[in-house]
Amino acid sequence: MIAKVNHIADTKKLLGAMPTIRFVHPEYVYLAMTNARCNKAELFIKEGDHVNMCQVIGIRHAAFFDQPIHATVSGTFVGLEKHYHRNGKLTDFIKIKNDFLETLDSSCTTRSDEEIKKLSKDEMTQIIKDAALVGLGGSSFPTYVKFQTNVPIHTILINAIECEPYITTDHRIMMEYPQRIINGIHYAMQAFGVKKAYICIKSKYKDLKYVYNQLLKQYPEIELKCVGNFYPQGWEIAMVEKALKIKMQPGELPSKYGVMNFNVSTVVGIYKAIKYNQPVTSRNISVTGDAIKFPQNFRVKVGTSVKELINLCGGYKDDGNKVFILGGPMMGAALPSDDCIITKTVTSVIVLKETKEKEEPCVRCGSCVLSCPTGLQPVLIMNAVKTLDRERIKALNPLRCIECGLCAYACTSKIQVTDFIRKAKVIAKL
């Protein structure tokens, strides 16, 4: 186990130091009709239609919001194809043949700094809503909803902690796009009328500390906060407590305490939306894992096929069975094959050699209880799920679970405890 942990740490350190490869011109892009939050959609184009980059080509419907679908390249709509979505389901994707011209839609207009300074909070909220910006750290929560809060905000927190193993997406964004990040933070500060912002990173990242301690001398209203090197330090409750000494309770929003937090990639998305009136058309991706020949960082078009990225990494190390994960190894989604697509909220592609571990009976060692960051009793919840004791499940409050995966990781009997907690959350909502 120690050797395995060291391998993961070494891989992450190496990727964090490697520059990002630009791969923004796939022959086809694939855009999901629906996703985990939006289960209905309408399409505004028909087969053979030409589309421009950033053009609204459809709309997704959720329970309390609608989400425009934007073309991420210019080209021709070919039709619908089914591929795996990051939610693990086979989903209809809009297939667009790239014409490689990058013809922008007429809606993409650059705003001057003077125009931006005159924008009200409501105007910024509408711009971000029209851009369909969501939490790019993986949450996919609509960003405009955060901007709609009427609670007084005094502090902006930027989450650049990236605490899961393997992933280095935010690390490279921090190194390569510092001015976009600064500008995006300023736009958020303007919208909420705040005077102070903090960028949170792990304390061990010496390269980021060096760069931002120098850069932020020009911007005293923004400070760097070095937080813990543990997982799940990126969980907002842990981040707020470490950075601001504010102890939140599970289920509470940071806005209750005058704090608004955004992932660092989301801040870049805010910058693009406000400055250029553009949605997210490309994003940074880490392709890594012990089954990949040459792990790499990429900046790719949203809608790029994962198979293409794996080929650019030299393919697989061997022909054995693989585990495909979109997102982090702790909270990402395991998929049955590499026939999957990069969506806006995919932070990484992790391919691991499949290892079979025999599940043993629970020995009640308490490891899952000690490791739970929200103070739950995972083993008791698991037992209640096995007996379908609904009242007991609700009393154990599984909805506080953040699905960090630590209970399963810590289990000495190799029980997939987190899966039982997920089932308990569904039962608790009935």
Side-chain angles (χ1 to χ4, degrees), residues 150-281:
N150 293 319
V151 178
I153 301 297
H154 57 72
T155 303
I156 300 289
L157 268 189
I158 306 303
N159 189 340
I161 298 169
E162 203 164 43
C163 59
E164 286 203 62
Y166 286 114
I167 308 175
T168 58
T169 301
D170 289 345
H171 193 126
R172 293 314 309 170
I173 284 176
M174 289 279 288
M175 292 297 290
E176 294 167 2
Y177 299 110
Q179 199 56 55
R180 295 183 186 183
I181 294 167
I182 297 299
N183 290 345
I185 293 172
H186 280 143
Y187 296 162
M189 293 175 73
Q190 175 183 327
F192 290 100
V194 306
K195 304 297 183 184
K196 200 67 183 177
Y198 299 95
I199 303 174
C200 300
I201 65 168
K202 284 185 175 180
S203 59
K204 67 180 181 181
Y205 291 150
K206 295 180 181 179
D207 54 349
L208 293 180
K209 283 194 284 186
Y210 178 80
V211 170
Y212 280 82
N213 282 334
Q214 295 299 315
L215 176 65
L216 295 180
K217 289 178 181 179
Q218 306 171 60
Y219 308 103
E221 68 279 8
I222 305 174
E223 291 184 23
L224 198 65
K225 280 283 185 179
C226 294
V227 297
N229 294 319
F230 62 88
Y231 174 82
Q233 175 66 90
W235 175 36
E236 68 178 11
I237 288 181
M239 177 181 67
V240 170
E241 180 175 1
K242 184 68 175 180
L244 302 177
K245 310 303 180 188
I246 296 173
K247 191 168 181 62
M248 295 169 51
Q249 296 301 314
E252 291 183 329
L253 296 174
S255 57
K256 176 181 177 180
Y257 300 90
V259 178
M260 187 59 63
N261 68 298
F262 300 99
N263 174 266
V264 68
S265 295
T266 307
V267 168
V268 175
I270 292 173
Y271 163 71
K272 293 291 291 292
I274 299 297
K275 182 65 177 176
Y276 300 108
N277 217 42
Q278 292 184 17
V280 175
T281 58

Side-chain angles (χ1 to χ4, degrees), residues 40-211:
K40 295 180 181 179
E42 298 175 53
L43 196 57
F44 299 159
I45 55 177
K46 62 183 183 300
E47 289 185 24
D49 281 355
H50 180 272
V51 300
N52 291 326
M53 181 175 161
C54 302
Q55 177 182 333
V56 177
I57 58 175
I59 191 164
R60 303 184 187 103
H61 301 292
F64 67 94
F65 69 92
D66 292 331
Q67 186 180 79
I69 304 172
H70 296 92
T72 58
V73 297
S74 58
T76 304
F77 171 45
V78 176
L80 299 178
E81 281 189 5
K82 286 192 180 294
H83 300 276
Y84 283 102
H85 192 276
R86 94 179 266 268
N87 61 17
K89 297 179 180 178
L90 270 176
T91 302
D92 283 327
F93 281 80
I94 303 163
K95 184 177 181 180
I96 299 175
K97 183 173 175 56
N98 192 353
D99 64 11
F100 304 103
L101 297 177
E102 299 283 283
T103 305
L104 281 174
D105 190 67
S106 59
S107 62
C108 299
T109 55
T110 301
R111 295 183 176 89
S112 67
D113 292 344
E114 291 71 24
E115 289 174 318
I116 293 172
K117 287 177 182 178
K118 294 177 182 178
L119 291 174
S120 66
K121 180 185 175 186
D122 288 343
E123 288 171 328
M124 285 188 169
T125 301
Q126 188 62 49
I127 292 167
I128 289 168
K129 182 178 182 180
D130 291 342
L133 184 63
V134 297
L136 298 181
S139 72
S140 75
F141 187 79
T143 304
Y144 84 88
V145 176
K146 287 188 173 184
F147 273 70
Q148 285 182 325
T149 182
N150 293 319
V151 178
I153 301 297
H154 57 72
T155 303
I156 300 289
L157 268 189
I158 306 303
N159 189 340
I161 298 169
E162 203 164 43
C163 59
E164 286 203 62
Y166 286 114
I167 308 175
T168 58
T169 301
D170 289 345
H171 193 126
R172 293 314 309 170
I173 284 176
M174 289 279 288
M175 292 297 290
E176 294 167 2
Y177 299 110
Q179 199 56 55
R180 295 183 186 183
I181 294 167
I182 297 299
N183 290 345
I185 293 172
H186 280 143
Y187 296 162
M189 293 175 73
Q190 175 183 327
F192 290 100
V194 306
K195 304 297 183 184
K196 200 67 183 177
Y198 299 95
I199 303 174
C200 300
I201 65 168
K202 284 185 175 180
S203 59
K204 67 180 181 181
Y205 291 150
K206 295 180 181 179
D207 54 349
L208 293 180
K209 283 194 284 186
Y210 178 80
V211 170

